[in-house]
């Protein structure tokens, strides 16, 4: 069955361009001129991916992103204004999984969508059934669960994939470039701050669960798991 993609953007040329490129890849693409129309369709059927413009008339992309994230963990890609750090930070805070700045290449966005679906499909097919643990965290990839001292922690798809990868590589430091390649399917030329924001969101959820698991930032390189025994 074809993957279903919802696109909301008030610029018709962008909608048509993305619709055309993604349709050629075999996806079932539905385009909407605003966020309200997308949310109505979402109530009837959840897609496999949502692509949202931030600035739209009516309900903007941030509100749509937050509304969707409160219901499920479907991947969300935001289309933001170039150079707008406020858009970028707000989007990731609300639960977006990825972002593209305007103007952008439809070919590159299509490649990123393909990489995202490839990762999710591989993840579902190859996920081990046994728990993977570190300190007080236990993750079961097959069931896609994460627990801290018997308390379940809810993560988005991307958050879960990043934390799982760190647990699977708990005996070494993981570079930002490695995470980009393994989780997002990016090449090293892509800006790496996306990893930092995802890690910040994971840290916040671990802190709320009072976990001893800490994700240490290695300046200029990446991340490594360690255990905080003071908690």
């Amino acid at each position: 069955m074809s993957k279903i993609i919802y696109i909301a953007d008030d610029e018709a040329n962008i909608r048509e361009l993305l619709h055309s490129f993604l349709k050629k890849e075999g996806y079932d693409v539905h385009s909407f001129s605003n966020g309200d129309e997308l949310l109505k369709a979402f109530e009837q059927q959840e897609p496999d991916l949502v692509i949202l413009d931030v600035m739209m008339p009516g309900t903007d992309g941030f509100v749509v992103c937050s509304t969707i994230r409160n219901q499920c963990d479907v991947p969300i890609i935001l289309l933001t204004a170039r150079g707008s750090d406020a858009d970028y930070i707000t989007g990731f805070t609300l639960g977006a999984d990825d972002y593209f700045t305007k103007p952008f290449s439809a070919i590159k966005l299509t490649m990123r969508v393909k990489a995202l679906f490839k990762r999710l499909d591989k993840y579902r097919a190859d996920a081990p059934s046994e728990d993977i643990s570190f300190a007080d965290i236990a993750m079961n990839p097959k069931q896609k669960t994460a627990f801290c001292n018997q308390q379940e922690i809810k993560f988005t798809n991307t958050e879960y994939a990043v934390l799982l990868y760190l647990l699977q590589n708990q005996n070494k430091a993981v570079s930002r470039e490695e995470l980009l390649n393994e989780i997002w399917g990016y090449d090293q030329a892509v800006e790496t701050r996306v990893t930092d924001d995802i890690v910040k969101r994971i840290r916040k959820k671990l802190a709320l669960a009072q976990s001893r698991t800490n994700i240490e930032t290695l300046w200029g390189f990446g991340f490594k798991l360690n255990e905080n025994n003071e908690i």
Side-chain angles (χ1 to χ4, degrees):
M1 184 179 295
S2 298
K3 295 284 196 302
I4 300 173
I5 299 176
Y6 286 176
I7 301 170
D9 196 302
D10 62 326
E11 296 184 54
N13 60 326
I14 292 180
R15 291 198 309 272
E16 293 167 3
L17 186 64
L18 291 180
H19 191 284
S20 175
F21 272 83
L22 293 169
K23 195 76 172 179
K24 287 180 181 178
E25 296 296 329
Y27 301 122
D28 183 5
V29 186
H30 301 260
S31 302
F32 308 94
S33 60
N34 58 66
D36 297 294
E37 292 178 359
L38 186 147
L39 286 175
K40 287 180 181 179
F42 197 94
E43 292 174 0
Q44 302 301 315
Q45 182 179 21
E46 291 186 6
D48 297 289
L49 172 69
V50 173
I51 300 175
L52 286 172
D53 181 31
V54 169
M55 297 301 294
M56 293 184 290
T59 304
D60 67 26
F62 290 143
V63 175
V64 175
C65 177
S66 178
T67 301
I68 291 174
R69 187 55 72 232
N70 288 333
Q71 298 179 37
C72 68
D73 62 356
V74 62
I76 299 173
I77 297 176
L78 288 181
L79 306 179
T80 70
R82 177 170 295 280
S84 177
D85 286 339
D87 282 1
Y88 172 85
I89 294 169
T90 301
F92 275 94
T93 300
L94 293 174
D97 295 279
D98 206 346
Y99 77 103
F100 249 81
T101 53
K102 294 183 175 181
F104 58 84
S105 164
I107 295 176
K108 289 185 178 180
L109 190 148
T110 301
M111 291 174 62
R112 199 172 296 183
V113 168
K114 291 173 66 177
L116 184 152
F117 282 137
K118 182 178 179 180
R119 170 176 62 81
L120 290 177
D121 290 342
K122 182 178 184 298
Y123 171 80
R124 296 184 184 108
D126 300 341
S129 57
E130 67 274 7
D131 283 356
I132 300 175
S133 302
F134 179 85
D136 52 3
I137 296 295
M139 304 181 75
N140 187 296
K142 202 71 175 179
Q143 299 178 10
K144 201 186 171 187
T145 56
F147 287 87
C148 174
N149 297 322
Q150 312 305 317
Q151 175 188 350
E152 186 170 10
I153 307 176
K154 294 293 186 181
F155 293 105
T156 65
N157 282 312
T158 304
E159 292 167 356
Y160 193 94
V162 168
L163 182 57
L164 179 62
Y165 191 79
L166 292 174
L167 259 68
Q168 291 171 325
N169 295 274
Q170 58 189 259
N171 295 319
K172 70 168 190 172
V174 176
S175 70
R176 290 176 174 84
E177 288 77 12
E178 183 177 347
L179 279 177
L180 286 172
N181 284 318
E182 293 294 332
I183 306 301
W184 283 269
Y186 294 0
D187 58 34
Q188 295 186 14
V190 176
E191 190 172 7
T192 58
R193 66 176 180 173
V194 62
T195 60
D196 295 71
D197 284 271
I198 292 294
V199 167
K200 286 178 183 177
R201 284 161 48 190
I202 297 171
R203 284 183 182 137
K204 183 177 181 180
K205 292 183 179 182
L206 292 175
L208 289 173
Q210 297 184 320
S211 174
R212 300 193 312 275
T213 299
N214 179 55
I215 305 176
E216 178 186 1
T217 297
L218 304 178
W219 189 85
F221 182 75
F223 310 96
K224 190 179 189 307
L225 289 180
N226 58 48
E227 183 176 358
N228 182 0
N229 292 311
E230 296 180 0
I231 296 179

